[in-house]
Amino acid sequence: MNQNSKVKLNEIFTSIKAEAETRLKDISGDNSQNIFIGMATCGRASGAVEVKATFEEALIERKINAHIIPVGCLGHCYGEPLVIIDKPGFPPILYQNVTPGKARLLVKAYLEEGDPVFEHVLGAMEENDMIPAVMEFPRFNQEKRVVMANCGLINPEDIYQYIAKGGYSALVKALALEPEKIINEIQESGLRGRGGAGFLTGMKWQVVQDSEEKDKIVICNADEGDPGAYMDRTILESNPHQVIEGMAITAYAVGANRAIVYVRAEYPLAVEMIKKAIGQAKEIKLSGEGILGTNFNLDIAVFQGSGAFVCGEETALIQSIQGKRGMPQLRPPYPAQRGLWGKPTVINNVKTLASLPPIFENGAKWFRGIGTDKSPGTAIFSVVGNIVHAGLVEIPMGVTLRALIFDICGGIPNGKKFKAVQIGGPSGGCLPDDFLDTPIDFDSLNQAGAMMGSGGMVVMDEDACMIDVARYFLDFTQKESCGKCTFCRIGTKHLLDILDRITKGEGREGDIELLEDLSMDIKNGSLCGLGKTAPNPVLTTVKYFRDEYEAHIREKRCPAMMCRTLTAYFIDLDKCARGCDACVGSCPTEAIFTTKNRKKGIDQTLCVKCGECMVSCPPEYDAVRKVSPPELAPKIERPKEE
Amino acid sequence: MVKLIVDNKEIETEDEVTVLQACLDNKIYIPNLCYLKEMDNPPGSCRLCFVEIKGYNQPITSCTVKVKEGMEVRTNTEHVRRLQRTAFEFLLSVHHVDCKNCPANKKCELQRIAKFLHFGLKLKKLEQLEREEGVEQDHPFMEYVSNRCVLCGKCVFVCQKKNGKAMLSFAKRGLDTVISFFGEEDKAKTTCKECYACVEICPVAALIRK
Ligand SMILES: Cc1cc2nc3c(=O)[nH]c(=O)nc-3n(C[C@H](O)[C@H](O)[C@H](O)COP(=O)(O)O)c2cc1C
């Protein structure tokens, strides 16, 4: 690009930026009060829509002037709905679990009368000497927000809010560079794809850039089919412009003029947000024809997938856009060589693309300073399961599992013990406590038998039965197999059936070895990544929890007492209170009877092992026991009806 | 022409063919179900034609590798046989074995592979998987017997090739995957009656004339 066009480019962007700053002043001028409400899917699911309506009503009723700004998701799911109130004279304050009732209270007590209502405060968003800042909590200060830096803080429906925070200036920087320079920068940054495999982004781009073909395509992979993973959705809902900016940088670098966001139709809000954002970007010439006065054109479209897990696999995704059944194809040719409609195609994950603007803003060296040597940058996990502070966490690569689970996310609730963590989505592995000091990066997780995958993380406490866990994930992958190749279509079903019979107490000698053999063959024999990784939950649980398999098979005992066929409930007659009927009504099958001395017994032939009696037994008696194997339950005869 | 070494024997073959094709042309049998010579992009879905090739650290499907001068191929290593036997047993575990009453008897590809692998037609380590029984009668001229089908996809390929567009396709997912005739067409009006390419290509008589 010549000097002239560089000047022009900067001029155009300077005026856009000025507009953004003027608009920002309008809403956050000296005396304005702002209420930021988390309105991403997670917030809405916990009632943010009603909370917003209540705030609106209450402001009108009390004749208070304040802006309500819908924002995306902060990642702190445990605290949803989350609201930040920014009032002059106070630091911005974050409130958690805001209900319509709390909303009315906050308007009256805080906005009208100046009392911040401390009992509902999670923390202040800035250091101050009035209210403890959230930055003092590990859940905030041990995170490193790069991709999610603005999530939950800006209105995703307003491009100017992103620009006011520095958005799109990385694109301006990139457009002033030769495409080769951009690819060099990305190669230097060491960025690896966040879609699971950790492939070097710069290397992929190079192949596409080198291609002679004129027409090239960029695809943003937002299929996100892993159960329990929702970071890509959150990013699209909370800050879609960072993804668009990343796509524009990618397209410019590889020489593409077409880009497609592939997002599942089950993400209606994400679809709406990204579509709106694309429209806004086009309006002010940040996409479309002649971006920022240059001769670079980029047309961005949205394609809605119908939500098959396998369509996240890049070759299946391409088939799906071409109107075919989403079945993975053999590679090579890789999409970078021959992709959508036969054109060289860059496919990158949402997080990979959203990492680009910060890299260009701050430089490859800065990015390398975060994370580890081989896995620079941050990782985003959705930490769910038996965990105190569930939600999305963005951490520098290299943080240990222990630090993530116990320090950042607050550990296991209810005083229970940690048992295992399942990492990498349905085809990740289950790791026991010996592995808690494993650093979180692509290579260490692979070595341990798990994987980064999409960043799903399920934490399990002592009550989890590992065979049941493996069964759960195999049930998912088996159903989601596209049916094309023999190993995945049929092999995963055999694994599932064997696990199923083990949990039912029908396991046989040799089942463990059979599971191992079949798993290895399915890994080695399958066509695509789905089949190649589907046995991971089996292999890791067999490896790290073999004694549990043996207990199920040999002793017909479930150590975690989760497998229904292998457990029984009984009532400890020494503890049961004569005349108490608390459990009787709770039993859905009328399995509980009264003994001769007016205590209670359970008819094992009727019991469905739902555990309701255990819940309803008053804590002062605590008389219901659960045992495995079921023969351990003492036989208590039901008195003959008179 | 290209020379390569297969199981310590030198063979000669045309350029640009797959290792599988080269072997078959030279009378070296490698079990396969989903491959046809005319395919530009073989689907690689049956996962039977594994071989070991020097330079690759794992068995690889021979339908997906093109021959190269001097290539060293082994078709009968322990690892290759293990994968083939497992794949075959998987296929068998969803196949309704009733050779006596099957039109494919004696020309069935599964029988041929069983013989080649010295496997027999009985399951060794696995149990038969239960699938919905049933014969699809939707089509006026053909029947589809799902629990014979090995889902090789050759029928879809030949239909596409002969008629310009395939009137058959894969449907459903996972173990329930089947071949299905397109619903929206008026099947009576199709040219199927003059064609039957799919029936002829089917290696296991899952598609048969009515
Ligand atoms: C079964 C399967 C499912 C996948 N699902 C996704 C997905 O939902 N999102 C994604 O970005 N990548 C997914 N991938 C990985 C993609 O094939 C591809 O590697 C990725 O989109 C490349 O982007 P990256 O280089 O930015 O990681 C999946 C892979 C497999 C085998």
Side-chain angles (χ1 to χ4, degrees), chain A residues 174-473:
Chain A
L175 288 179
L177 297 173
E178 294 303 319
E180 289 75 28
K181 278 256 170 61
I182 299 184
I183 295 195
N184 283 346
E185 185 82 3
I186 285 302
Q187 272 170 346
E188 255 163 51
S189 76
L191 175 65
R192 297 172 67 170
R194 289 336 194 220
F199 192 78
L200 283 165
T201 304
M203 215 142 105
K204 192 185 285 187
W205 289 12
Q206 189 74 60
V207 175
V208 177
Q209 192 193 45
D210 287 348
S211 165
E212 303 277 303
E213 175 76 49
K214 286 261 169 331
D215 192 9
K216 299 168 184 177
I217 300 167
V218 172
I219 296 176
C220 167
N221 188 344
D223 185 60
E224 193 165 60
D226 293 24
Y230 50 95
M231 50 285 275
D232 294 353
R233 184 193 75 205
T234 298
I235 294 165
L236 288 181
E237 287 176 359
S238 307
N239 191 3
H241 284 289
Q242 193 163 328
V243 182
I244 294 176
E245 188 180 4
M247 280 200 290
I249 294 172
T250 311
Y252 176 71
V254 301
N257 299 117
R258 280 201 277 169
I260 296 173
V261 183
Y262 186 99
V263 52
R264 53 178 50 225
E266 283 105 324
Y267 282 180
L269 189 61
V271 171
E272 186 190 323
M273 290 300 163
I274 189 76
K275 278 191 172 162
K276 224 176 223 169
I278 291 169
Q280 288 180 353
K282 202 164 170 183
E283 242 167 64
I284 57 171
K285 291 247 168 221
L286 286 166
S287 83
E289 299 273 306
I291 293 180
L292 288 168
T294 66
N295 53 12
F296 167 51
N297 308 328
L298 179 65
D299 173 59
I300 308 175
V302 173
F303 186 95
Q304 297 187 42
S306 345
F309 172 61
V310 75
C311 285
E313 196 279 339
E314 53 188 25
T315 59
L317 184 149
I318 287 173
Q319 291 287 310
S320 149
I321 297 181
Q322 293 180 174
K324 300 219 179 102
R325 183 177 159 90
M327 280 180 154
Q329 306 296 301
L330 281 165
R331 303 178 305 181
Y334 288 88
Q337 303 162 302
R338 190 135 58 80
L340 182 61
W341 314 116
K343 311 287 180 197
T345 305
V346 173
I347 299 191
N348 275 133
N349 173 259
V350 173
K351 296 171 288 281
T352 315
L353 293 166
S355 298
L356 299 169
I359 293 178
F360 276 89
E361 196 55 44
N362 307 295
K365 234 177 156 174
W366 166 84
F367 190 71
R368 275 215 171 270
I370 307 167
T372 66
D373 188 35
K374 290 246 173 69
S375 303
T378 59
I380 303 179
F381 281 98
S382 52
V383 188
V384 299
N386 306 120
I387 188 84
V388 173
H389 289 148
L392 293 183
V393 188
E394 184 170 4
I395 46 162
M397 295 268 191
V399 165
T400 63
L401 287 169
R402 188 186 303 282
L404 175 59
I405 295 169
F406 289 93
D407 301 344
I408 303 179
C409 292
I412 317 295
N414 308 323
K416 299 241 162 135
K417 279 213 296 276
F418 169 88
K419 181 163 190 179
V421 55
Q422 208 272 354
I423 311 170
S427 19
C430 295
L431 303 180
D433 52 4
D434 300 353
F435 283 81
L436 280 173
D437 293 310
T438 308
I440 296 173
D441 63 65
F442 288 106
D443 310 302
S444 308
L445 289 180
N446 273 346
Q447 247 167 33
M451 60 185 200
M452 191 73 89
S454 60
M457 180 176 288
V458 186
V459 181
M460 288 169 271
D461 69 14
E462 58 197 82
D463 291 340
C465 166
M466 298 317 290
I467 296 118
D468 191 50
V469 168
R471 198 189 56 79
Y472 170 83
F473 287 112

